Amino acid sequence: MSNNNTIAGWVLAGGIAALGFSIVSSKYFHAGKHERPEVMGYVIEGVESSDGAADAGPSIETLLQTADIAAGEKVFSKCAACHTINQGGANGIGPNLWGAMGKPHGHVAGFAYSDALKSVPGNWDWEGMNAWLTSPRAYAPGTKMTFAGLGKAEDRANLMVYLNAQGSNLPLPAAPVAEEAPAEGDEAEAAGTEEPAEGAEAAEGAEAAPAE
């Protein structure tokens, strides 16, 4: 009986020792290592995702006045995988874009445009091309075009003047005229020319009228 108690005691002591060794070794070998937290980081206020978001700022008409053709050619490199733009160039995944500005949607003969794009009325004017480059799927829902769009208005303006220089040469749209705030002197003058109150008019009339 005493032997059984002794054996059980040694087994229990061995188990406790093994558990303690396991805990100590785990802490030792993980020392200095950074564990991946279950919740990754925290939200930083003021940071927005750029997916599908067009930036706010000057109108596209204003940006077109100072757009850069050379910069637009660099932006076009994103399109070159699907489009050619040289005169008489072959169609690729997308149609050849020589002289596209000002032409009707689906104007390239022999290219299989989607019904969604062919059903869009009008021509490739500045407004339409800007909307298309912002989001092809929004401009022509159901289009086969997989390009997500250009979120930066400056990139769209530069690309459009480059496209326009390749066989189109449409006149630039007029930039909107900013309304000027009235000068301080004009405000003071306007305030000084306010019409007199009704009571004051009545009093002047009574003084000027002759006695009966």
Side-chain angles (χ1 to χ4, degrees), residues 14 24 27 36 70 104 151 153 157 194 208:
V24 171
K27 290 182 178 295
R36 179 183 176 90
E194 292 181 356

Side-chain angles (χ1 to χ4, degrees), residues 35-124:
E35 298 292 337
R36 179 183 176 90
E38 293 183 4
V39 179
M40 295 297 294
Y42 53 88
V43 177
I44 301 176
E45 297 295 335
V47 177
E48 299 179 357
S49 170
S50 59
D51 295 339
D55 53 353
S59 67
I60 195 66
E61 292 81 7
T62 298
L63 292 172
L64 283 168
Q65 311 306 314
T66 56
D68 183 11
I69 293 177
E73 185 176 9
K74 293 181 180 178
V75 178
F76 184 77
S77 64
K78 300 179 181 180
C79 314
C82 299
H83 297 277
T84 61
I85 198 168
N86 56 306
Q87 186 174 12
N91 296 324
I93 297 174
N96 174 265
L97 298 179
W98 172 264
M101 293 293 294
K103 294 287 183 63
H105 298 92
H107 65 279
V108 177
F111 185 80
Y113 292 95
S114 66
D115 292 337
L117 185 60
K118 289 191 295 184
S119 65
V120 177
N123 297 341
W124 286 117

